Every structure is written in structure tokens, then in C-alpha cells.
Amino acid sequence: MNEANDIMITISLYFEVRDSEAYGGKGSIGYVSTNVDFKASALAKVDFTKFTEAQKQGVAKMLKVDEEKVLIISRGYYENETEDEDEEEIWSL
């Protein structure tokens, strides 16, 4: 087996979630990230548009909100918004 095939790459997505009971209900804003590991050899087969939409749908389902309440945000924005929060308040999937 080629060593390159053994390399694992993590894809992280960051989300802002509005109105979820998990964060306080209507009017609330919470933040969550997802992290998925891929073998480097599999990356060429990944449809990143479908992947990000599936992650967004999964977050919406898990947090029981409509998909339009879930926004993909940058890592920098996520870190800025969550820097003062307790670990228990931040969800990472």
C-alpha cells in the first residue's frame, strides 16, 4: 500500500444555528462544528457540495431546526464567537 493512501485528512465545517432549543430556543444563536476524517486517496471522489449540504442537513436534524436556520460560517468567525464560551456550550460533532 502506498503511504499516501494512509494519510488521513480532516475536513472541518463550522455552523451558526438559530432558534434551537439546545441553545435556548427562539431568538437564540449557537455554534457547532463537524469534523470528518478522509483517507487522502478518497478525496478525489468526494463531491464537496453534496458533502457540505449533507453536513448542514445533519446539523439541522440533530438540533431540530429547519435547514435555513443553519448557516455555514468561517473558522475565524466561529472561533471569534465561541472564544468566551464554556466547552459544554460548544458542540463539536
Side-chain angles (χ1 to χ4, degrees):
M1 180 179 259
N2 185 332
E3 282 187 38
N5 291 335
D6 293 334
I7 295 171
M8 298 298 291
I9 296 173
T10 302
I11 306 282
S12 299
L13 295 173
Y14 301 90
F15 302 92
E16 179 179 272
V17 182
R18 295 180 177 267
D19 300 333
S20 173
E21 290 297 324
Y23 298 112
K26 188 170 175 80
S28 67
I29 300 174
Y31 298 92
V32 63
S33 67
T34 62
N35 302 290
V36 180
D37 293 328
F38 292 94
K39 284 188 176 182
S41 59
L43 285 179
K45 299 174 188 169
V46 176
D47 180 331
F48 288 102
T49 300
K50 288 181 181 177
F51 171 76
T52 56
E53 281 303 310
Q55 292 294 299
K56 184 177 177 180
Q57 290 168 356
V59 167
K61 184 176 180 179
M62 182 188 72
L63 294 174
K64 299 178 180 156
V65 296
D66 293 332
E67 199 173 325
E68 64 266 9
K69 302 285 186 176
V70 179
L71 303 172
I72 297 174
I73 59 174
S74 70
R75 179 180 177 178
Y77 186 82
Y78 172 88
E79 289 175 348
N80 186 58
E81 294 299 312
T82 60
E83 68 184 351
D84 293 330
E85 293 185 17
D86 292 333
E87 282 296 316
E88 293 177 5
E89 296 176 0
I90 302 171
W91 292 26
S92 182
L93 308 174

